[in-house]
Amino acid sequence: MAGAEALPACTLVDCLCAVHAPATPAAERLRATQHLEAFKQRAHEHLPELLALVAPLRAAQERHFAMHTLVELVRARWPSLAELRRAELKALALQLVGLLGEAAEPAFIAGAAVRLVCELAVREWPQRWPELVDELLRAAERSPRHAALALECMSSLADEVREHTSARLPDARHAELCKSLEAVSAHVAARAHACAADALAHLRACTSAAEAGAEEAAELVLSLIHISEPTRRTP
């Protein structure tokens, strides 16, 4: 295989298949893993390939790899990324919240999307990403699944701020985020409880647990109530 600097998306897919296929010989799996790790180190040069792999029709393992790599890219290289690339990543993160809310997704896919939103928010919100909360709450109105995903993004951000260390989050930035979270916490909590009430109403309207959406609504009632609490308790 070619070096990471020349590794196209199709070869990335081949490497991911080799890594995840149980029958892949050990030597081939090792080579594929090495190529993927080398690609991650140069991910800032390959954003188009990563963005292509995030598309909803791609395999779950491809999407997770792309999202996880984007999270690592944000952590490692955010200050050096061009403003256009930063804008693309923020737009992608919000797009993912909308797309992943359309259908049931594996938990690790939704979790990766939430992590990406959180990593971006820690660095950009609200000064350079003022629309984030409004966009998340607008997405939450689309369906219970959208609500759970959008509100989990806010919960994850609150957890990140509450559990901060100076090495991870400088004190000045931590103070900014605390103040910003406090300013929106009541609004977010109200939206969370409204979403929980909607899901509970749907659950009560179902005549049996087997009815379409009943089990999902029950899970969302519990998750939304849990999610709403951290967003109300700012550090």
Side-chain angles (χ1 to χ4, degrees):
M1 292 184 185
E5 66 277 2
L7 201 61
C10 61
T11 307
L12 279 177
V13 173
D14 292 340
C15 288
L16 286 166
C17 289
V19 167
H20 290 279
T24 302
E28 184 179 343
R29 188 188 308 278
L30 176 60
R31 285 196 299 272
T33 300
Q34 290 172 339
H35 277 293
L36 292 176
E37 290 302 318
F39 179 88
K40 287 181 180 180
Q41 296 301 314
R42 304 185 65 119
H44 60 290
E45 300 175 4
H46 299 281
L47 273 179
E49 291 96 323
L50 289 170
L51 297 180
L53 289 177
V54 171
L57 295 180
R58 307 297 304 211
Q61 65 194 31
E62 298 169 19
R63 299 166 70 199
H64 184 259
F65 170 81
M67 291 184 205
H68 180 69
T69 302
L70 289 173
V71 167
E72 291 188 354
L73 172 63
V74 170
R75 288 173 174 168
R77 292 184 175 271
W78 188 253
S80 64
L81 289 181
E83 189 59 38
L84 178 61
R85 294 304 190 194
R86 294 186 184 191
E88 287 177 342
L89 286 171
K90 288 184 285 188
L92 171 67
L94 290 175
Q95 183 183 19
L96 285 173
V97 173
L99 290 173
L100 295 178
E102 296 294 340
E105 293 279 359
F108 65 90
I109 294 291
V114 168
R115 188 72 249 161
L116 179 59
V117 172
C118 183
E119 291 292 338
L120 292 168
V122 164
R123 290 160 176 80
E124 296 288 282
W125 180 75
Q127 291 88 345
R128 292 175 297 278
W129 205 8
E131 71 275 20
L132 172 63
V133 173
D134 286 342
E135 290 293 335
L136 289 176
L137 295 183
R138 190 173 294 115
E141 295 176 354
R142 295 170 60 179
S143 75
R145 188 181 289 116
H146 283 94
L149 190 60
L151 294 169
E152 189 171 347
C153 290
M154 291 301 303
S155 178
S156 181
L157 175 59
D159 288 343
E160 183 76 21
V161 173
R162 194 163 41 247
E163 298 167 5
H164 97 290
T165 64
S166 297
R168 165 80 171 132
L169 194 61
D171 290 343
R173 179 60 179 151
H174 176 252
E176 290 176 351
L177 287 169
C178 285
K179 182 178 180 180
S180 299
L181 280 170
E182 183 177 3
V184 302
S185 61
H187 186 39
V188 172
R191 184 64 245 169
H193 282 283
C195 290
D198 289 344
L200 183 58
H202 175 77
L203 178 63
R204 287 172 173 165
C206 295
T207 58
S208 72
E211 189 167 337
E215 182 177 352
E216 178 181 274
E219 293 174 354
L220 284 170
V221 168
L222 296 176
S223 64
L224 285 168
I225 290 173
H226 170 74
I227 287 168
S228 71
E229 291 303 313
T231 59
R232 291 193 295 167
R233 296 194 303 268
T234 53

